[in-house]
Amino acid sequence: MLKRFKQRFQVSSLEDGVDLTTKEIKELHMDLTQQLQTVEEAVLIAIDRNNYTLFSDLVIERKRISIAIDTVETTLDQTHRRRFFSSTAIATLPTKLDDSLTSINNTSRIITGNVINRAAKGLAYSSQLSEKMQHSLEQSSVRLSQLSEQVIHQTKERKNK
């Protein structure tokens, strides 16, 4: 019973591409690429000979090989991802994360400092503007008060005459 389970596991693993080494996957990719080149040459020959039946069969074959190449490339990418998370990569992962977090913290401190400086400059500018407007209003009210006093004084003089 255990032997049957192992055989099923091995068959399913081979179908999933789990038991293939990177070297075997690369060899398979090279073989499929060579087959694709051969089919493309045959397509050109079929076109030259006006053999459209052979041409349509070759186009279907080319499509199958292209799909197989895409599958192999996907498997190769997954293999590389698995290796990234291997024990050696995991050992360096905390260091990389610490470096990244330190960089993010430094950048956020710089950005926060710039925002605070700009806000302080904005507040200083608005304070200066407010003081100038207040001074201008005081001068305007003093001038208006003086003008109104002059008008009142002139009006009293005219009434007295």
Side-chain angles (χ1 to χ4, degrees):
M1 176 120 173
L2 184 61
K3 186 176 181 180
R4 228 186 287 160
F5 175 76
K6 285 182 179 180
Q7 287 175 346
R8 280 189 204 156
F9 180 75
Q10 287 175 349
V11 170
S12 67
S13 296
L14 284 173
E15 288 173 356
D16 293 338
V18 173
D19 287 344
L20 296 175
T21 64
T22 305
K23 182 180 177 184
E24 291 171 334
I25 294 171
K26 287 181 180 179
E27 288 174 0
L28 183 62
H29 186 269
M30 286 176 35
D31 184 47
L32 287 170
T33 305
Q34 289 173 353
Q35 287 180 17
L36 184 63
Q37 289 174 354
T38 304
V39 168
E40 287 177 350
E41 290 170 3
V43 165
L44 293 175
I45 293 170
I47 291 172
D48 287 341
R49 294 183 183 169
N50 289 331
N51 188 348
Y52 290 104
T53 306
L54 179 61
F55 172 74
S56 64
D57 291 341
L58 290 172
V59 168
I60 292 169
E61 184 66 22
R62 182 175 62 186
K63 181 67 176 172
R64 288 181 187 157
I65 293 172
S66 295
I67 291 171
I69 288 173
D70 290 342
T71 304
V72 169
E73 288 173 351
T74 303
T75 304
L76 194 59
D77 288 343
Q78 290 172 351
T79 303
H80 288 303
R81 276 191 224 122
R82 276 190 230 122
R83 285 193 177 172
F84 174 75
F85 290 108
S86 68
S87 60
T88 56
I90 289 177
T92 61
L93 196 58
T95 306
K96 290 180 181 179
L97 285 174
D98 286 342
D99 292 344
S100 298
L101 289 174
T102 302
S103 174
I104 289 170
N105 284 335
N106 289 338
T107 305
S108 67
R109 285 184 191 128
I110 291 169
I111 290 172
T112 304
N114 288 339
V115 167
I116 290 171
N117 288 339
R118 287 182 182 169
K121 287 179 182 177
L123 287 173
Y125 177 75
S126 66
S127 175
Q128 289 173 356
L129 184 62
S130 175
E131 288 176 10
K132 287 179 181 179
M133 287 176 63
Q134 186 177 5
H135 181 68
S136 177
L137 268 171
E138 285 176 6
Q139 286 180 344
S140 296
S141 63
V142 168
R143 182 72 180 140
L144 188 61
S145 174
Q146 289 173 352
L147 285 173
S148 66
E149 285 178 10
Q150 286 177 359
V151 169
I152 292 172
H153 183 55
Q154 288 177 358
T155 311
K156 283 183 180 179
E157 284 182 0
R158 286 186 188 156
K159 283 186 179 180
N160 288 338
K161 286 187 176 182

